[in-house]
Amino acid sequence: MDGLENMIYMIDQLLDTKRKRHITGGILLSVSALFGGLAVTVMTLTTEEEEENDYE
């Protein structure tokens, strides 16, 4: 439990200003949009491959 508490304290110290929190939030949103786009791409590619196999 001390490890979790220390990690939260460290993150709190790193993001001590509004500017740092804003930049970190923007980076997290960009990363989540990237992985969301990759997930959609993988889902559509899988569907196309299954349709091609059905015609054989």
Side-chain angles (χ1 to χ4, degrees):
M1 198 59 149
D2 279 340
L4 180 62
E5 186 176 326
N6 289 337
M7 188 169 49
I8 291 173
Y9 179 75
M10 182 181 67
I11 291 171
D12 186 43
Q13 291 300 314
L14 288 172
L15 302 175
D16 58 349
T17 63
K18 282 187 175 186
R19 184 171 187 237
K20 289 180 185 177
R21 279 184 290 218
H22 186 78
I23 291 169
T24 304
I27 291 170
L28 290 173
L29 283 172
S30 298
V31 169
S32 67
L34 171 71
F35 284 115
L38 287 174
V40 169
T41 302
V42 168
M43 295 290 288
T44 56
L45 287 177
T46 304
T47 304
E48 289 175 2
E49 288 176 1
E50 289 174 358
E51 290 174 358
E52 288 175 6
N53 290 336
D54 289 342
Y55 291 119
E56 292 179 0

